[in-house]
Amino acid sequence: MRRKTKLIHGGVAGDPHTGAVSVPIYQVSTYKQEGVGGHKGYEYSRTGNPTRHALEELIKDLEEGYAGFAFSSGMAAITAVMMLFNSGDHVILTDDVYGGTYRVMTKVLHRLGIESTFVDTSDLTNIEKQLRPNTKAIYIETPTNPLLKITDLKEAAAIAKRHGLLTIVDNTFSTPYWQTPIALGADIVVHSATKYLGGHSDVVAGLVVVNSEPLATDLHFIQNSTGGILGPQDSWLLMRGIKTLGIRMEEHEQNTRKIVEFLAGHPAVKNIYYPGLETHPNHEIAKKQMRGFGGMVSFDVGSAEKADQLLNRVQYFTLAESLGAVESLISLPAKMTHASIPQKRREELGITDGLVRISVGLEDVEDLLEDLAQALA
Ligand SMILES: Cc1ncc(COP(=O)(O)O)c(C=O)c1O
């Protein structure tokens, strides 16, 4: 099956009982048993629900893994994956991970004894330098948010394998349409499905795919024990969104290329961060492991005042957190998505007060270009 076909025919397609071409929403908490333990595969919806199962099968197929799991948010998914580790274990993470990932590691899991170190994983030597006897995993976000740095997944996974570590990849920005980390050696893929997979700013969800039976058993145990599952209605919405992922991702990319070209030639724009640019420091690796460069671009307008002015003037870019939806969004990472990262650390990372991030939507690109031109003038 090719990629757009798999989005529509992967997982559990339709309903064998009625012929309905869309998987029904099984809005149910419990299931009748014919005798004790005599059920038809489902006993209680925290443990398993047919609509959620269909979504979990779909994301498993798309990420080319062994099993999929759906959670109530990206953060619930990431937290569940981190519950695979024990007190005293250590995880190496990409330094400019999503602010919420940094927060859960340093403020919540840290209290439970799970240690973390944040390094620029786009330079692989940094990973080896941080290895400790208790290191259990490398957690990579690529491209990163908001600086769009790229880590070589094949090489990072090879380092992890040499040292007996798990490789975990947050694939939110690329989605399996552009990048399949398990095929490159990763063990676990996580998603904020709230973003491109859902695609319409109407659902908060998280997904995980693992590459082996033992990991699937452990993660299902955690999912069922901690209970942060996705409900049937949201599972269905996500499946509906995923059906059009291919055409959306292609169009996001087309629009973004034109916007990047415009920004690159604009005197008010200092730095542009986009992995599709030949001048991007990790462009060659991006070309090697991604089938497309995505719809996220960050650029520096020099100061908080100028960024503020731009944010106030744009008409078609909605000032909002989140990304990956049909409508274009604009945000100021230092004050929004990355506000939970201390200022000193933000400065070290290059997340300046003038850094603006846009998530390019599916509007006519001419309208988006005219809007940016008038706002930057
Ligand atoms: C890359 C990335 N990972 C994880 C998350 C967390 O996902 P959620 O907001 O669905 O909990 C986000 C949210 O913005 C994100 O951008």
PDB file of all heavy atoms in Angstrom, residues 73-76 78 98 101 139 141 145 170 172-173 191-195 204-206 322-323 337 357, ligand 1:
ATOM      1  N   SER A  73      -3.813  13.096  25.462  1.00  0.00           N
ATOM      2  CA  SER A  73      -3.063  14.251  24.951  1.00  0.00           C
ATOM      3  C   SER A  73      -1.657  13.782  24.610  1.00  0.00           C
ATOM      4  O   SER A  73      -1.249  12.676  25.015  1.00  0.00           O
ATOM      5  CB  SER A  73      -2.994  15.370  26.003  1.00  0.00           C
ATOM      6  OG  SER A  73      -2.147  14.990  27.068  1.00  0.00           O
ATOM      7  N   GLY A  74      -0.931  14.641  23.919  1.00  0.00           N
ATOM      8  CA  GLY A  74       0.473  14.314  23.633  1.00  0.00           C
ATOM      9  C   GLY A  74       1.247  14.156  24.931  1.00  0.00           C
ATOM     10  O   GLY A  74       2.078  13.245  25.070  1.00  0.00           O
ATOM     11  N   MET A  75       0.982  15.024  25.908  1.00  0.00           N
ATOM     12  CA  MET A  75       1.707  14.942  27.177  1.00  0.00           C
ATOM     13  C   MET A  75       1.368  13.656  27.937  1.00  0.00           C
ATOM     14  O   MET A  75       2.238  13.075  28.585  1.00  0.00           O
ATOM     15  CB  MET A  75       1.435  16.168  28.056  1.00  0.00           C
ATOM     16  CG  MET A  75       2.119  17.449  27.579  1.00  0.00           C
ATOM     17  SD  MET A  75       3.796  17.247  26.935  1.00  0.00           S
ATOM     18  CE  MET A  75       4.649  16.482  28.295  1.00  0.00           C
ATOM     19  N   ALA A  76       0.111  13.205  27.848  1.00  0.00           N
ATOM     20  CA  ALA A  76      -0.249  11.934  28.497  1.00  0.00           C
ATOM     21  C   ALA A  76       0.513  10.787  27.826  1.00  0.00           C
ATOM     22  O   ALA A  76       0.971   9.853  28.497  1.00  0.00           O
ATOM     23  CB  ALA A  76      -1.755  11.694  28.406  1.00  0.00           C
ATOM     24  N   ILE A  78       3.484  11.015  26.236  1.00  0.00           N
ATOM     25  CA  ILE A  78       4.905  11.124  26.585  1.00  0.00           C
ATOM     26  C   ILE A  78       5.125  10.649  28.023  1.00  0.00           C
ATOM     27  O   ILE A  78       6.064   9.906  28.319  1.00  0.00           O
ATOM     28  CB  ILE A  78       5.386  12.584  26.368  1.00  0.00           C
ATOM     29  CG1 ILE A  78       5.389  12.899  24.869  1.00  0.00           C
ATOM     30  CG2 ILE A  78       6.776  12.805  26.988  1.00  0.00           C
ATOM     31  CD1 ILE A  78       5.523  14.377  24.521  1.00  0.00           C
ATOM     32  N   TYR A  98       9.804  20.286  23.002  1.00  0.00           N
ATOM     33  CA  TYR A  98       8.590  21.028  23.369  1.00  0.00           C
ATOM     34  C   TYR A  98       8.662  21.379  24.868  1.00  0.00           C
ATOM     35  O   TYR A  98       9.062  20.540  25.683  1.00  0.00           O
ATOM     36  CB  TYR A  98       7.373  20.149  23.059  1.00  0.00           C
ATOM     37  CG  TYR A  98       6.085  20.699  23.612  1.00  0.00           C
ATOM     38  CD1 TYR A  98       5.602  21.934  23.199  1.00  0.00           C
ATOM     39  CD2 TYR A  98       5.357  19.990  24.556  1.00  0.00           C
ATOM     40  CE1 TYR A  98       4.432  22.439  23.718  1.00  0.00           C
ATOM     41  CE2 TYR A  98       4.177  20.489  25.078  1.00  0.00           C
ATOM     42  CZ  TYR A  98       3.728  21.729  24.657  1.00  0.00           C
ATOM     43  OH  TYR A  98       2.572  22.234  25.165  1.00  0.00           O
ATOM     44  N   THR A 101       7.400  18.977  27.447  1.00  0.00           N
ATOM     45  CA  THR A 101       8.231  17.779  27.650  1.00  0.00           C
ATOM     46  C   THR A 101       9.347  18.119  28.638  1.00  0.00           C
ATOM     47  O   THR A 101       9.630  17.356  29.567  1.00  0.00           O
ATOM     48  CB  THR A 101       8.818  17.304  26.296  1.00  0.00           C
ATOM     49  OG1 THR A 101       7.739  17.134  25.386  1.00  0.00           O
ATOM     50  CG2 THR A 101       9.583  16.006  26.441  1.00  0.00           C
ATOM     51  N   TYR A 139      15.862  10.427  23.808  1.00  0.00           N
ATOM     52  CA  TYR A 139      14.555  10.947  23.389  1.00  0.00           C
ATOM     53  C   TYR A 139      14.807  12.119  22.434  1.00  0.00           C
ATOM     54  O   TYR A 139      15.400  13.127  22.821  1.00  0.00           O
ATOM     55  CB  TYR A 139      13.782  11.411  24.625  1.00  0.00           C
ATOM     56  CG  TYR A 139      12.414  11.978  24.342  1.00  0.00           C
ATOM     57  CD1 TYR A 139      11.264  11.225  24.609  1.00  0.00           C
ATOM     58  CD2 TYR A 139      12.256  13.262  23.827  1.00  0.00           C
ATOM     59  CE1 TYR A 139      10.006  11.751  24.354  1.00  0.00           C
ATOM     60  CE2 TYR A 139      11.004  13.785  23.567  1.00  0.00           C
ATOM     61  CZ  TYR A 139       9.884  13.023  23.832  1.00  0.00           C
ATOM     62  OH  TYR A 139       8.641  13.545  23.593  1.00  0.00           O
ATOM     63  N   GLU A 141      13.545  14.897  19.453  1.00  0.00           N
ATOM     64  CA  GLU A 141      12.516  15.604  18.696  1.00  0.00           C
ATOM     65  C   GLU A 141      13.211  16.081  17.431  1.00  0.00           C
ATOM     66  O   GLU A 141      14.231  16.770  17.512  1.00  0.00           O
ATOM     67  CB  GLU A 141      12.016  16.797  19.523  1.00  0.00           C
ATOM     68  CG  GLU A 141      10.530  17.055  19.375  1.00  0.00           C
ATOM     69  CD  GLU A 141      10.075  18.196  20.262  1.00  0.00           C
ATOM     70  OE1 GLU A 141       9.893  17.954  21.469  1.00  0.00           O
ATOM     71  OE2 GLU A 141       9.927  19.315  19.747  1.00  0.00           O
ATOM     72  N   ASN A 145      11.217  22.095  17.911  1.00  0.00           N
ATOM     73  CA  ASN A 145      10.237  23.152  18.069  1.00  0.00           C
ATOM     74  C   ASN A 145      10.860  24.181  19.019  1.00  0.00           C
ATOM     75  O   ASN A 145      11.124  23.812  20.147  1.00  0.00           O
ATOM     76  CB  ASN A 145       8.998  22.472  18.702  1.00  0.00           C
ATOM     77  CG  ASN A 145       7.904  23.412  19.035  1.00  0.00           C
ATOM     78  OD1 ASN A 145       7.893  24.538  18.591  1.00  0.00           O
ATOM     79  ND2 ASN A 145       6.978  22.945  19.848  1.00  0.00           N
ATOM     80  N   ASP A 170       9.851  11.949  19.019  1.00  0.00           N
ATOM     81  CA  ASP A 170       8.619  12.733  18.904  1.00  0.00           C
ATOM     82  C   ASP A 170       8.487  13.132  17.434  1.00  0.00           C
ATOM     83  O   ASP A 170       9.260  13.943  16.925  1.00  0.00           O
ATOM     84  CB  ASP A 170       8.705  13.970  19.825  1.00  0.00           C
ATOM     85  CG  ASP A 170       7.416  14.783  19.813  1.00  0.00           C
ATOM     86  OD1 ASP A 170       6.718  14.796  18.777  1.00  0.00           O
ATOM     87  OD2 ASP A 170       7.125  15.440  20.831  1.00  0.00           O
ATOM     88  N   THR A 172       5.867  14.534  15.930  1.00  0.00           N
ATOM     89  CA  THR A 172       4.717  15.434  15.767  1.00  0.00           C
ATOM     90  C   THR A 172       4.858  16.339  14.540  1.00  0.00           C
ATOM     91  O   THR A 172       3.907  16.525  13.782  1.00  0.00           O
ATOM     92  CB  THR A 172       4.573  16.313  17.025  1.00  0.00           C
ATOM     93  OG1 THR A 172       4.337  15.462  18.150  1.00  0.00           O
ATOM     94  CG2 THR A 172       3.439  17.316  16.903  1.00  0.00           C
ATOM     95  N   PHE A 173       6.038  16.932  14.350  1.00  0.00           N
ATOM     96  CA  PHE A 173       6.203  17.924  13.280  1.00  0.00           C
ATOM     97  C   PHE A 173       6.157  17.304  11.884  1.00  0.00           C
ATOM     98  O   PHE A 173       5.671  17.924  10.956  1.00  0.00           O
ATOM     99  CB  PHE A 173       7.531  18.675  13.458  1.00  0.00           C
ATOM    100  CG  PHE A 173       7.421  19.900  14.318  1.00  0.00           C
ATOM    101  CD1 PHE A 173       6.577  19.927  15.417  1.00  0.00           C
ATOM    102  CD2 PHE A 173       8.153  21.043  14.024  1.00  0.00           C
ATOM    103  CE1 PHE A 173       6.467  21.054  16.211  1.00  0.00           C
ATOM    104  CE2 PHE A 173       8.055  22.180  14.809  1.00  0.00           C
ATOM    105  CZ  PHE A 173       7.214  22.189  15.902  1.00  0.00           C
ATOM    106  N   HIS A 191       3.496  11.088  19.503  1.00  0.00           N
ATOM    107  CA  HIS A 191       2.875  12.178  18.744  1.00  0.00           C
ATOM    108  C   HIS A 191       2.002  13.026  19.640  1.00  0.00           C
ATOM    109  O   HIS A 191       1.244  12.472  20.451  1.00  0.00           O
ATOM    110  CB  HIS A 191       1.906  11.626  17.685  1.00  0.00           C
ATOM    111  CG  HIS A 191       2.568  11.163  16.454  1.00  0.00           C
ATOM    112  ND1 HIS A 191       3.018  12.029  15.491  1.00  0.00           N
ATOM    113  CD2 HIS A 191       2.866   9.914  16.017  1.00  0.00           C
ATOM    114  CE1 HIS A 191       3.562  11.333  14.509  1.00  0.00           C
ATOM    115  NE2 HIS A 191       3.487  10.049  14.807  1.00  0.00           N
ATOM    116  N   SER A 192       2.050  14.314  19.437  1.00  0.00           N
ATOM    117  CA  SER A 192       0.919  15.131  19.818  1.00  0.00           C
ATOM    118  C   SER A 192       0.007  15.085  18.601  1.00  0.00           C
ATOM    119  O   SER A 192       0.219  15.806  17.613  1.00  0.00           O
ATOM    120  CB  SER A 192       1.338  16.576  20.113  1.00  0.00           C
ATOM    121  OG  SER A 192       0.160  17.352  20.237  1.00  0.00           O
ATOM    122  N   ALA A 193      -0.998  14.220  18.652  1.00  0.00           N
ATOM    123  CA  ALA A 193      -1.914  14.064  17.512  1.00  0.00           C
ATOM    124  C   ALA A 193      -2.856  15.254  17.400  1.00  0.00           C
ATOM    125  O   ALA A 193      -3.615  15.376  16.433  1.00  0.00           O
ATOM    126  CB  ALA A 193      -2.696  12.766  17.651  1.00  0.00           C
ATOM    127  N   THR A 194      -2.791  16.124  18.407  1.00  0.00           N
ATOM    128  CA  THR A 194      -3.514  17.395  18.415  1.00  0.00           C
ATOM    129  C   THR A 194      -3.135  18.231  17.181  1.00  0.00           C
ATOM    130  O   THR A 194      -3.903  19.091  16.758  1.00  0.00           O
ATOM    131  CB  THR A 194      -3.087  18.179  19.683  1.00  0.00           C
ATOM    132  OG1 THR A 194      -3.086  17.299  20.803  1.00  0.00           O
ATOM    133  CG2 THR A 194      -3.960  19.368  19.947  1.00  0.00           C
ATOM    134  N   LYS A 195      -1.957  17.962  16.627  1.00  0.00           N
ATOM    135  CA  LYS A 195      -1.388  18.815  15.585  1.00  0.00           C
ATOM    136  C   LYS A 195      -1.779  18.304  14.188  1.00  0.00           C
ATOM    137  O   LYS A 195      -2.951  18.203  13.895  1.00  0.00           O
ATOM    138  CB  LYS A 195       0.128  18.904  15.794  1.00  0.00           C
ATOM    139  CG  LYS A 195       0.518  19.231  17.249  1.00  0.00           C
ATOM    140  CD  LYS A 195       0.070  20.595  17.637  1.00  0.00           C
ATOM    141  CE  LYS A 195      -0.002  20.933  19.105  1.00  0.00           C
ATOM    142  NZ  LYS A 195       0.638  20.184  20.116  1.00  0.00           N
ATOM    143  N   VAL A 204      -7.717  17.196  21.112  1.00  0.00           N
ATOM    144  CA  VAL A 204      -6.442  17.064  21.826  1.00  0.00           C
ATOM    145  C   VAL A 204      -6.211  15.574  22.030  1.00  0.00           C
ATOM    146  O   VAL A 204      -7.078  14.878  22.576  1.00  0.00           O
ATOM    147  CB  VAL A 204      -6.488  17.804  23.192  1.00  0.00           C
ATOM    148  CG1 VAL A 204      -5.224  17.524  24.005  1.00  0.00           C
ATOM    149  CG2 VAL A 204      -6.659  19.302  22.984  1.00  0.00           C
ATOM    150  N   ALA A 205      -5.065  15.077  21.555  1.00  0.00           N
ATOM    151  CA  ALA A 205      -4.823  13.629  21.611  1.00  0.00           C
ATOM    152  C   ALA A 205      -3.335  13.324  21.507  1.00  0.00           C
ATOM    153  O   ALA A 205      -2.555  14.135  21.003  1.00  0.00           O
ATOM    154  CB  ALA A 205      -5.556  12.926  20.456  1.00  0.00           C
ATOM    155  N   GLY A 206      -2.963  12.155  21.990  1.00  0.00           N
ATOM    156  CA  GLY A 206      -1.577  11.701  21.880  1.00  0.00           C
ATOM    157  C   GLY A 206      -1.541  10.275  21.381  1.00  0.00           C
ATOM    158  O   GLY A 206      -2.463   9.484  21.647  1.00  0.00           O
ATOM    159  N   SER A 322      -0.259  25.917  19.589  1.00  0.00           N
ATOM    160  CA  SER A 322      -0.548  24.786  18.715  1.00  0.00           C
ATOM    161  C   SER A 322      -0.063  25.022  17.284  1.00  0.00           C
ATOM    162  O   SER A 322       0.487  26.101  16.958  1.00  0.00           O
ATOM    163  CB  SER A 322      -2.026  24.405  18.731  1.00  0.00           C
ATOM    164  OG  SER A 322      -2.158  23.051  18.334  1.00  0.00           O
ATOM    165  N   LEU A 323      -0.269  24.044  16.453  1.00  0.00           N
ATOM    166  CA  LEU A 323       0.262  24.055  15.086  1.00  0.00           C
ATOM    167  C   LEU A 323      -0.381  22.927  14.298  1.00  0.00           C
ATOM    168  O   LEU A 323      -1.104  22.102  14.854  1.00  0.00           O
ATOM    169  CB  LEU A 323       1.795  23.861  15.127  1.00  0.00           C
ATOM    170  CG  LEU A 323       2.292  22.563  15.792  1.00  0.00           C
ATOM    171  CD1 LEU A 323       2.770  21.563  14.759  1.00  0.00           C
ATOM    172  CD2 LEU A 323       3.415  22.851  16.763  1.00  0.00           C
ATOM    173  N   THR A 337       4.642  28.917  23.873  1.00  0.00           N
ATOM    174  CA  THR A 337       4.926  27.477  24.020  1.00  0.00           C
ATOM    175  C   THR A 337       6.145  27.186  24.885  1.00  0.00           C
ATOM    176  O   THR A 337       6.240  26.129  25.502  1.00  0.00           O
ATOM    177  CB  THR A 337       5.175  26.830  22.636  1.00  0.00           C
ATOM    178  OG1 THR A 337       6.029  27.697  21.892  1.00  0.00           O
ATOM    179  CG2 THR A 337       3.887  26.590  21.895  1.00  0.00           C
ATOM    180  N   ARG A 357       7.181  32.072  15.356  1.00  0.00           N
ATOM    181  CA  ARG A 357       6.986  30.762  14.720  1.00  0.00           C
ATOM    182  C   ARG A 357       5.660  30.773  13.977  1.00  0.00           C
ATOM    183  O   ARG A 357       4.664  31.246  14.524  1.00  0.00           O
ATOM    184  CB  ARG A 357       6.973  29.682  15.793  1.00  0.00           C
ATOM    185  CG  ARG A 357       6.931  28.278  15.226  1.00  0.00           C
ATOM    186  CD  ARG A 357       6.684  27.263  16.300  1.00  0.00           C
ATOM    187  NE  ARG A 357       5.271  27.173  16.620  1.00  0.00           N
ATOM    188  CZ  ARG A 357       4.740  26.319  17.484  1.00  0.00           C
ATOM    189  NH1 ARG A 357       5.516  25.510  18.165  1.00  0.00           N
ATOM    190  NH2 ARG A 357       3.439  26.287  17.713  1.00  0.00           N
TER     191      ARG A 357
HETATM  192  C1  LIG B   1       6.373  18.518  19.505  1.00  0.00           C
HETATM  193  C2  LIG B   1       5.324  18.407  20.556  1.00  0.00           C
HETATM  194  N1  LIG B   1       5.291  17.319  21.342  1.00  0.00           N
HETATM  195  C3  LIG B   1       4.342  17.180  22.307  1.00  0.00           C
HETATM  196  C4  LIG B   1       3.396  18.144  22.537  1.00  0.00           C
HETATM  197  C5  LIG B   1       2.354  17.951  23.623  1.00  0.00           C
HETATM  198  O1  LIG B   1       1.146  17.569  23.059  1.00  0.00           O
HETATM  199  P1  LIG B   1      -0.330  17.936  23.630  1.00  0.00           P
HETATM  200  O2  LIG B   1      -0.462  19.408  23.612  1.00  0.00           O
HETATM  201  O3  LIG B   1      -1.248  17.214  22.710  1.00  0.00           O
HETATM  202  O4  LIG B   1      -0.376  17.393  25.034  1.00  0.00           O
HETATM  203  C6  LIG B   1       3.380  19.281  21.722  1.00  0.00           C
HETATM  204  C7  LIG B   1       2.346  20.328  21.946  1.00  0.00           C
HETATM  205  O5  LIG B   1       2.425  21.431  21.455  1.00  0.00           O
HETATM  206  C8  LIG B   1       4.374  19.418  20.707  1.00  0.00           C
HETATM  207  O6  LIG B   1       4.415  20.497  19.916  1.00  0.00           O
END
